[in-house]
Amino acid sequence: MATTFAFGKYTHAVVRAIPDTFGKKDGDKNEQGAELDLAKAQRQYGVYTGILRQKLGLQLIEIPADSGLPDSWRVEDIAIVQGDTALITRPWSASRRKEVDAVKKVLEELKLRIVEVTDQEATLDGSDVLFTGREFFVGLSSRTNHKGAEAVADTFRDFAVSTVSVHGSAHLKNFCSMAGSDTIVIGSSDGAKKALKMMEQLTDHHYEILTVPDDAAANCIYVKVGSNSNYLLHRSADECPESAAAFQKLPDYTLVPTACSEVSKLGGTLSSCSLLINRKLEL
Amino acid sequence: MTTEVGSETEVKKEPEQAEEQPQTQAETEQQPEQQLVDGKQEQSAHSTDLKQAEEEQNTQESPSTQQKDTTAASEQVSPAPQEGRAGVEKREEQPGSKGIARFLPPWLKKQKSQSHVEQKKSQMKEGETTENQIQEKEEKSPTQSPSKQQSIEKEGEEARKDTSVEEKEENLIQDHQQSKQEETKVDEKEEEKLSISSAETQPAKEDQKEDVVEKDSDVKVEDKKEEDTIQNTEVKTDRSIQKVPKKMKTFVCKVTLLDGTEYPCEVEKRAKGQVLFAKICEHLNLLEKDYFGLTYRDNADQKNWLDPAKEIKRQIRSLPWQFAFNVKFYPPDPSQLTEDITRYFLCLQLRQDIAVGRLPCSFVTHALLGSYTLQAELGDYDSEEHRHDYISEFQFAPTQTKELEDKVVELHKTHRGLTPAQAEALFLENAKKLSMYGVDLHHAKDSEGVDIMLGVCANGLLIYKDRLRINRFAWPKILKISYKRSNFYIKIRPGETEQFESTIGFKLPNHRSAKRLWKVCVEHHTFFRLVSPEQPPKAKFLTLGSKFRYSGRTQAQTRQASTLIDRPAPFFERTSSKRLSRSLDGVHHFTFPRSKSEGTGTKELKQLQAPAVSATEQILQQDFSAPAVSDLEVGFKDKEDGKEPGSPYKPTLSPESKSLEEEITTILLSKEGFSTASFAGAFTFPTKRAARGDNAKTATKAVSLAHYIESSKKAPSRTEEVHPDGRDLAESTEKLKSEMGREQEIDTQETMANEETTKMFTVSQRSESPSVAAKPAEGGEMKTQLREKKEETIVVRDVSTSSDSESEEEAEYRPQVARKDVDQIKEEPEENEHLPVRSLASTVHVEVKVPVEEKKELEEKIEKGGMLGEEVYCTTAEEREEPKVNGDVSHIDTDIVTQVICCSEPPVVKTEMVTISDAFASQKSEISTKEVPIVHTETKTITYEAAEVDGTGDSEPGVLMTAQTITSESVCTTTTTQITKTVKGGVSETRIEKRIVITGDADIDHDQALAQAIKEAKEQHPDMSVTRVVVHKETELTEEGDD
């Protein structure tokens, strides 16, 4: 259903452990040119999953790492889940398409309605899909094309699915995310501003906008815990010093600084490391 | 019997019919068999009638020849089907008096049969079934019979045919008695029925095409009574008065309701859409009706909204009188609807939308909505009663799987305890969240030729590519909506950082679809965004193009009105949605839930409406007959209607009267490349619709001028194709704006002055008009007024409906352009309108005086400007002023349209246009003098700067090389040819303007004459392209008798 009231409510989180081959495959570039610290990445991953489980109370489903799939920790790219429907994507990177199997299996176990992208011309990374609770925005990026966006529209027919151009190699959610059912967090780069402008034009709704200086900080995880507790996982002040303060503007939120500096070197974000699922539909 | 009455009228109308007949032939062919039977029967019964009928028929049906007699008979039958017929037939049958009783409902039969009109052979069967049903119903419902009798009596009185009444009563009685007596003779009866139905059918067909008087007022009355007793009384009173003197022809409209049933509804031939709509709403007991509308399918199977303000007949033309009742404006928040019954109909619409895939849903939503549907229609889930296949009769999704059905059932079980109204409310709460809820999609291509969909909704315009939303323009962002030919344009308000407006163009499949989209946009914007509807740009001179505006209540108004609803929740029966799948069953349901609440419901309705309803509506409701004057459309058509014989209240009567239509056509041929290139081969009609003021009393205001001008000017710059040479948008825009300001001022001033001049013209014309009026039957005499200065006006009278010529599709409106130009006055008939030829009657005399030189310049301007949008709708209210003219009245009346001509100034040109409506037309309530034609004259002088003048961006006015005028005459046409050669910007342009005046009476096929004229023009100048055709039609309405 077009249930907006349940936005942010989740029961499960699907994650995948960081393999030893973390960052060693081509595909993803090390954005900052910095050295990758596998151990640190795995530590951060551990903290991350701990937050999901303990702070947010989600049931964690962890898919074992697969060293043959160095990017497999980015489970967000592999599926788009809304309600009880999961769209299994067709990642742009052919090498990542094998990641689908394990994720699909988990989602099937969760009794989700599984839909797969059948169009062989479609490419779709889940990180390019922003669900606001009312509608979808699909970033047309270097990774996601029009056909991929169509798959989203075909799958989630109740919702408007709008396309937003994303410039550069980043995914849509590299510079934006939801910080509440009506709030979009957006970075300050030109690309982010353009995309936001487009989204504002495309939507029938009015969203509150929370602008943060860093694009990286704009990717958060919003979870509603219990009946009325808003949790927001955001980049820590250490990682995004200029942006941390901005989150203080959110009233009545429990802010949870979360580190993901290592994965972010590969273009990863907080949200890209998990798939959040609400299996107890209110309807 | 009643038949006689009908026959008389018919006779009168012969001439018209005769003309129209050719079209009808196909239909008539059907008649032979059936008619024969009828004819025989009736002939025996009424010899006199037959004669008359025959006469008529012969003339009319000469084309079909063979069945003249039969046809005649059949026609007669049809005219008085209700009473007289029933009686007659019964008598005849009485010898075999078996199922005579069954015939009682003949009128009912008629209705259906008529509706079937175009379904030629199938009709027979349907007719039978229909009749049977009817009979059954009657039999079953004893209560109805009394009412019928009464009604009959009334009719009889009205008709002054007591005998018929008595007979009828007798018949009724007999019917009841006999009804179940003899089944053996069923066959015979059926045959009879068939024959009857066929006969009836014919008339309907004829009616569609033209004025065949088939049904007397009496008939109508009866029908109504049966259907709605309450309504009838009121209606009758009105009608009875009107009817007695003049008999209205009626048509049976088949309206497919949201529950899938078909409801036959009879309306007068000239009735406007709102009449039918009001009847349907009454039938449905629906008060919050502003969210709904009637649709019909055109030849391309495209859904069109029936414009309530226009005559039905003109909108559907030759299409079957088949409509569907649909939700037009989907309320964004259905919970704000006042009545459950309204929500119920909305639910039905949405179920339909979902079932056909128009409203896409996810699996879960399909299941949930389906479960609410079950709860609403079946109540709580009952494991015993509801076996597992109980839902397979419902359609919850375009493709329904077992899985879905299981899910539906599962959810249905959880809704225990919900009342139907609650279930529907929940249904709507979920449905309204769907992203495509209330989105009306139109196929289009973007500027790059990519297939997209344009979705019109409450919030604005959505652009889809495949299923993806790729853009969205909220209403506040849209400054103007226009279309030109098959192009649709929206002008976007500049963003915060932008300095200039931008215009986005879309390519629609054809002109009609572009106009359809435009209208839908105008309506949605008005309904959802405005507090009150805008006045259509009536009576203003500058109104070019479609004057269409949404004339109903806005959402705000309807909500307000809804608060006044003070009736107990009406009882209504929720027909099972199953019916959708059993279409056959549904079709014949005569009994509607409404009967229960009819009485009160109706009254309440009227009361309710009265306050809120615009004057126009009220009037319309009361006089159906009001000859369809299309208010909105200022175009020619209105005039027909407008001419009412005399009393303001009996407009209805006149409708039947003939209308003469005159068309003034201006054909511009141009041989140059620049602007024409893309249009080559196509006719461009600068359609200006002359604005019709009401009876020209008030001077027209320059209201919309500014805005139109604006649009025209801007338009050019926008369209790249059109104006290759165009300057930068920015420049042009700026200039335009500045200029606009000026123009407006100028216009107003001049308008005043012009009026005076107009009057003068008027006088001269008036002298003529009287004569015309006098001979309405013949077709008025057309007068073309050629202005000294080599202007030619072509007046074509079309009696016949126009054929939709192909040219129409190609036709282009350049209303805006026209404005600039001096003389082109164009009136568009509404929808047809694009083609000059098509439009039916309208009477307009246009005079233009233009000094030759000036004219040339004007033409140039025209061309340049021409490519712009045809019809413009500005979302900003500011742009329009409202004419103070009896606003409401104006709507109702037809009348004269005044147009203003703008002259360009480097040389200042004065153009004056005078529009004269027929004396009759003008008469309406407003004008005391009947005979005096009212003339609206408006003169405008506009000074354009050179740069501006060339909206295109051509700054060069062009140099006039040569100019010559040639005049030739033939039997009924006068052709004046003006050849102008100019050099613009190095491009030599030869422009030939032909003014062809076709004058004639009803006997002349104006369409043909026009077509011929155009053809000749083309042939004469094979190397040139027709860039514009302006047609003015003048029609005179005569009184019935004349027909």
Side-chain angles (χ1 to χ4, degrees), chain B residues 666-687:
Chain B
T666 304
I667 303 172
L668 293 179
L669 300 172
S670 85
K671 190 180 192 178
E672 58 167 82
F674 76 127
S675 54
T676 8
S678 54
F679 306 96
F683 286 95
T684 312
F685 299 97
T687 11

PDB file of all heavy atoms in Angstrom, chain B residues 666-687:
ATOM      1  N   THR B 666     -11.611  33.053 -45.907  1.00  0.00           N
ATOM      2  CA  THR B 666     -10.513  33.768 -46.505  1.00  0.00           C
ATOM      3  C   THR B 666      -9.422  32.760 -46.723  1.00  0.00           C
ATOM      4  O   THR B 666      -9.043  32.048 -45.820  1.00  0.00           O
ATOM      5  CB  THR B 666      -9.981  34.843 -45.560  1.00  0.00           C
ATOM      6  OG1 THR B 666     -11.058  35.668 -45.214  1.00  0.00           O
ATOM      7  CG2 THR B 666      -8.905  35.625 -46.245  1.00  0.00           C
ATOM      8  N   ILE B 667      -9.009  32.685 -47.871  1.00  0.00           N
ATOM      9  CA  ILE B 667      -7.948  31.734 -48.125  1.00  0.00           C
ATOM     10  C   ILE B 667      -6.691  32.500 -48.452  1.00  0.00           C
ATOM     11  O   ILE B 667      -6.683  33.314 -49.352  1.00  0.00           O
ATOM     12  CB  ILE B 667      -8.304  30.825 -49.302  1.00  0.00           C
ATOM     13  CG1 ILE B 667      -9.613  30.140 -49.014  1.00  0.00           C
ATOM     14  CG2 ILE B 667      -7.203  29.856 -49.555  1.00  0.00           C
ATOM     15  CD1 ILE B 667     -10.133  29.371 -50.174  1.00  0.00           C
ATOM     16  N   LEU B 668      -5.726  32.224 -47.749  1.00  0.00           N
ATOM     17  CA  LEU B 668      -4.477  32.898 -48.033  1.00  0.00           C
ATOM     18  C   LEU B 668      -3.535  31.895 -48.647  1.00  0.00           C
ATOM     19  O   LEU B 668      -3.319  30.835 -48.095  1.00  0.00           O
ATOM     20  CB  LEU B 668      -3.868  33.425 -46.747  1.00  0.00           C
ATOM     21  CG  LEU B 668      -4.645  34.539 -46.081  1.00  0.00           C
ATOM     22  CD1 LEU B 668      -3.935  34.949 -44.817  1.00  0.00           C
ATOM     23  CD2 LEU B 668      -4.761  35.698 -47.021  1.00  0.00           C
ATOM     24  N   LEU B 669      -3.038  32.254 -49.704  1.00  0.00           N
ATOM     25  CA  LEU B 669      -2.066  31.364 -50.323  1.00  0.00           C
ATOM     26  C   LEU B 669      -0.752  32.084 -50.247  1.00  0.00           C
ATOM     27  O   LEU B 669      -0.681  33.250 -50.542  1.00  0.00           O
ATOM     28  CB  LEU B 669      -2.424  31.133 -51.786  1.00  0.00           C
ATOM     29  CG  LEU B 669      -3.781  30.497 -52.008  1.00  0.00           C
ATOM     30  CD1 LEU B 669      -4.087  30.494 -53.480  1.00  0.00           C
ATOM     31  CD2 LEU B 669      -3.783  29.106 -51.459  1.00  0.00           C
ATOM     32  N   SER B 670       0.255  31.365 -49.900  1.00  0.00           N
ATOM     33  CA  SER B 670       1.468  32.074 -49.926  1.00  0.00           C
ATOM     34  C   SER B 670       2.527  31.208 -50.510  1.00  0.00           C
ATOM     35  O   SER B 670       2.495  30.032 -50.434  1.00  0.00           O
ATOM     36  CB  SER B 670       1.868  32.516 -48.574  1.00  0.00           C
ATOM     37  OG  SER B 670       2.525  31.541 -47.958  1.00  0.00           O
ATOM     38  N   LYS B 671       3.407  31.808 -51.116  1.00  0.00           N
ATOM     39  CA  LYS B 671       4.381  31.070 -51.853  1.00  0.00           C
ATOM     40  C   LYS B 671       5.675  31.275 -51.237  1.00  0.00           C
ATOM     41  O   LYS B 671       6.475  31.589 -51.849  1.00  0.00           O
ATOM     42  CB  LYS B 671       4.448  31.685 -53.222  1.00  0.00           C
ATOM     43  CG  LYS B 671       5.222  30.950 -54.208  1.00  0.00           C
ATOM     44  CD  LYS B 671       5.191  31.641 -55.460  1.00  0.00           C
ATOM     45  CE  LYS B 671       5.663  30.970 -56.616  1.00  0.00           C
ATOM     46  NZ  LYS B 671       5.581  31.613 -57.791  1.00  0.00           N
ATOM     47  N   GLU B 672       5.911  31.393 -50.126  1.00  0.00           N
ATOM     48  CA  GLU B 672       7.252  31.631 -49.786  1.00  0.00           C
ATOM     49  C   GLU B 672       7.621  30.635 -48.791  1.00  0.00           C
ATOM     50  O   GLU B 672       6.890  29.862 -48.344  1.00  0.00           O
ATOM     51  CB  GLU B 672       7.381  32.932 -49.199  1.00  0.00           C
ATOM     52  CG  GLU B 672       6.595  32.790 -48.257  1.00  0.00           C
ATOM     53  CD  GLU B 672       6.337  33.440 -47.204  1.00  0.00           C
ATOM     54  OE1 GLU B 672       5.869  33.992 -47.443  1.00  0.00           O
ATOM     55  OE2 GLU B 672       6.514  33.391 -46.138  1.00  0.00           O
ATOM     56  N   GLY B 673       8.818  30.664 -48.607  1.00  0.00           N
ATOM     57  CA  GLY B 673       9.239  29.607 -47.807  1.00  0.00           C
ATOM     58  C   GLY B 673       9.159  29.784 -46.375  1.00  0.00           C
ATOM     59  O   GLY B 673       8.941  28.850 -45.692  1.00  0.00           O
ATOM     60  N   PHE B 674       9.346  30.893 -45.918  1.00  0.00           N
ATOM     61  CA  PHE B 674       9.713  30.849 -44.518  1.00  0.00           C
ATOM     62  C   PHE B 674       8.677  30.308 -43.577  1.00  0.00           C
ATOM     63  O   PHE B 674       8.918  29.306 -42.949  1.00  0.00           O
ATOM     64  CB  PHE B 674      10.247  32.163 -44.041  1.00  0.00           C
ATOM     65  CG  PHE B 674       9.212  33.187 -43.816  1.00  0.00           C
ATOM     66  CD1 PHE B 674       9.155  33.831 -42.605  1.00  0.00           C
ATOM     67  CD2 PHE B 674       8.326  33.520 -44.787  1.00  0.00           C
ATOM     68  CE1 PHE B 674       8.234  34.803 -42.395  1.00  0.00           C
ATOM     69  CE2 PHE B 674       7.418  34.512 -44.551  1.00  0.00           C
ATOM     70  CZ  PHE B 674       7.380  35.146 -43.358  1.00  0.00           C
ATOM     71  N   SER B 675       7.654  30.909 -43.522  1.00  0.00           N
ATOM     72  CA  SER B 675       6.792  30.397 -42.474  1.00  0.00           C
ATOM     73  C   SER B 675       5.973  29.222 -42.936  1.00  0.00           C
ATOM     74  O   SER B 675       5.567  28.390 -42.178  1.00  0.00           O
ATOM     75  CB  SER B 675       5.871  31.493 -42.016  1.00  0.00           C
ATOM     76  OG  SER B 675       5.211  31.982 -43.151  1.00  0.00           O
ATOM     77  N   THR B 676       5.780  29.198 -44.172  1.00  0.00           N
ATOM     78  CA  THR B 676       4.873  28.198 -44.673  1.00  0.00           C
ATOM     79  C   THR B 676       5.442  26.828 -44.774  1.00  0.00           C
ATOM     80  O   THR B 676       4.712  25.868 -44.850  1.00  0.00           O
ATOM     81  CB  THR B 676       4.475  28.567 -46.069  1.00  0.00           C
ATOM     82  OG1 THR B 676       5.265  29.631 -46.455  1.00  0.00           O
ATOM     83  CG2 THR B 676       3.064  28.894 -46.137  1.00  0.00           C
ATOM     84  N   ALA B 677       6.696  26.795 -44.863  1.00  0.00           N
ATOM     85  CA  ALA B 677       7.313  25.527 -45.194  1.00  0.00           C
ATOM     86  C   ALA B 677       6.714  24.369 -44.444  1.00  0.00           C
ATOM     87  O   ALA B 677       6.314  23.381 -45.031  1.00  0.00           O
ATOM     88  CB  ALA B 677       8.793  25.595 -44.879  1.00  0.00           C
ATOM     89  N   SER B 678       6.687  24.505 -43.215  1.00  0.00           N
ATOM     90  CA  SER B 678       6.237  23.356 -42.451  1.00  0.00           C
ATOM     91  C   SER B 678       4.771  23.089 -42.674  1.00  0.00           C
ATOM     92  O   SER B 678       4.295  21.995 -42.502  1.00  0.00           O
ATOM     93  CB  SER B 678       6.492  23.582 -40.974  1.00  0.00           C
ATOM     94  OG  SER B 678       5.892  24.793 -40.594  1.00  0.00           O
ATOM     95  N   PHE B 679       4.115  24.067 -43.084  1.00  0.00           N
ATOM     96  CA  PHE B 679       2.678  23.899 -43.167  1.00  0.00           C
ATOM     97  C   PHE B 679       2.211  23.512 -44.528  1.00  0.00           C
ATOM     98  O   PHE B 679       1.051  23.333 -44.768  1.00  0.00           O
ATOM     99  CB  PHE B 679       1.999  25.187 -42.817  1.00  0.00           C
ATOM    100  CG  PHE B 679       2.471  25.664 -41.517  1.00  0.00           C
ATOM    101  CD1 PHE B 679       3.487  26.579 -41.432  1.00  0.00           C
ATOM    102  CD2 PHE B 679       1.934  25.143 -40.369  1.00  0.00           C
ATOM    103  CE1 PHE B 679       3.927  26.992 -40.211  1.00  0.00           C
ATOM    104  CE2 PHE B 679       2.383  25.567 -39.152  1.00  0.00           C
ATOM    105  CZ  PHE B 679       3.376  26.490 -39.074  1.00  0.00           C
ATOM    106  N   ALA B 680       3.115  23.474 -45.405  1.00  0.00           N
ATOM    107  CA  ALA B 680       2.716  23.303 -46.781  1.00  0.00           C
ATOM    108  C   ALA B 680       1.657  22.243 -46.906  1.00  0.00           C
ATOM    109  O   ALA B 680       1.721  21.199 -46.321  1.00  0.00           O
ATOM    110  CB  ALA B 680       3.911  22.921 -47.610  1.00  0.00           C
ATOM    111  N   GLY B 681       0.739  22.567 -47.703  1.00  0.00           N
ATOM    112  CA  GLY B 681      -0.269  21.554 -47.946  1.00  0.00           C
ATOM    113  C   GLY B 681      -1.369  21.587 -46.937  1.00  0.00           C
ATOM    114  O   GLY B 681      -2.463  21.154 -47.203  1.00  0.00           O
ATOM    115  N   ALA B 682      -1.076  22.090 -45.862  1.00  0.00           N
ATOM    116  CA  ALA B 682      -2.112  22.083 -44.848  1.00  0.00           C
ATOM    117  C   ALA B 682      -2.842  23.396 -44.885  1.00  0.00           C
ATOM    118  O   ALA B 682      -2.299  24.407 -45.245  1.00  0.00           O
ATOM    119  CB  ALA B 682      -1.489  21.884 -43.490  1.00  0.00           C
ATOM    120  N   PHE B 683      -4.033  23.317 -44.512  1.00  0.00           N
ATOM    121  CA  PHE B 683      -4.752  24.557 -44.443  1.00  0.00           C
ATOM    122  C   PHE B 683      -4.457  25.138 -43.092  1.00  0.00           C
ATOM    123  O   PHE B 683      -4.484  24.454 -42.099  1.00  0.00           O
ATOM    124  CB  PHE B 683      -6.241  24.330 -44.487  1.00  0.00           C
ATOM    125  CG  PHE B 683      -6.673  23.961 -45.845  1.00  0.00           C
ATOM    126  CD1 PHE B 683      -6.804  22.640 -46.174  1.00  0.00           C
ATOM    127  CD2 PHE B 683      -6.923  24.928 -46.778  1.00  0.00           C
ATOM    128  CE1 PHE B 683      -7.211  22.290 -47.421  1.00  0.00           C
ATOM    129  CE2 PHE B 683      -7.323  24.568 -48.022  1.00  0.00           C
ATOM    130  CZ  PHE B 683      -7.469  23.259 -48.353  1.00  0.00           C
ATOM    131  N   THR B 684      -4.259  26.326 -43.114  1.00  0.00           N
ATOM    132  CA  THR B 684      -4.089  26.937 -41.834  1.00  0.00           C
ATOM    133  C   THR B 684      -5.295  27.799 -41.640  1.00  0.00           C
ATOM    134  O   THR B 684      -5.628  28.593 -42.481  1.00  0.00           O
ATOM    135  CB  THR B 684      -2.904  27.849 -41.845  1.00  0.00           C
ATOM    136  OG1 THR B 684      -1.867  27.134 -42.432  1.00  0.00           O
ATOM    137  CG2 THR B 684      -2.573  28.235 -40.469  1.00  0.00           C
ATOM    138  N   PHE B 685      -5.898  27.576 -40.580  1.00  0.00           N
ATOM    139  CA  PHE B 685      -7.024  28.437 -40.365  1.00  0.00           C
ATOM    140  C   PHE B 685      -6.681  29.341 -39.257  1.00  0.00           C
ATOM    141  O   PHE B 685      -6.432  28.924 -38.165  1.00  0.00           O
ATOM    142  CB  PHE B 685      -8.235  27.667 -39.933  1.00  0.00           C
ATOM    143  CG  PHE B 685      -8.614  26.721 -40.967  1.00  0.00           C
ATOM    144  CD1 PHE B 685      -8.223  25.414 -40.896  1.00  0.00           C
ATOM    145  CD2 PHE B 685      -9.331  27.151 -42.041  1.00  0.00           C
ATOM    146  CE1 PHE B 685      -8.572  24.542 -41.860  1.00  0.00           C
ATOM    147  CE2 PHE B 685      -9.684  26.260 -43.008  1.00  0.00           C
ATOM    148  CZ  PHE B 685      -9.305  24.955 -42.922  1.00  0.00           C
ATOM    149  N   PRO B 686      -6.698  30.500 -39.516  1.00  0.00           N
ATOM    150  CA  PRO B 686      -6.472  31.432 -38.453  1.00  0.00           C
ATOM    151  C   PRO B 686      -7.793  31.446 -37.829  1.00  0.00           C
ATOM    152  O   PRO B 686      -8.671  32.062 -38.303  1.00  0.00           O
ATOM    153  CB  PRO B 686      -6.280  32.712 -39.187  1.00  0.00           C
ATOM    154  CG  PRO B 686      -6.840  32.462 -40.543  1.00  0.00           C
ATOM    155  CD  PRO B 686      -6.902  31.027 -40.760  1.00  0.00           C
ATOM    156  N   THR B 687      -7.982  30.761 -36.927  1.00  0.00           N
ATOM    157  CA  THR B 687      -9.286  30.786 -36.444  1.00  0.00           C
ATOM    158  C   THR B 687      -9.363  31.796 -35.442  1.00  0.00           C
ATOM    159  O   THR B 687      -8.794  31.689 -34.415  1.00  0.00           O
ATOM    160  CB  THR B 687      -9.523  29.569 -35.691  1.00  0.00           C
ATOM    161  OG1 THR B 687      -8.306  29.061 -35.582  1.00  0.00           O
ATOM    162  CG2 THR B 687     -10.454  28.733 -36.240  1.00  0.00           C
TER     163      THR B 687
END
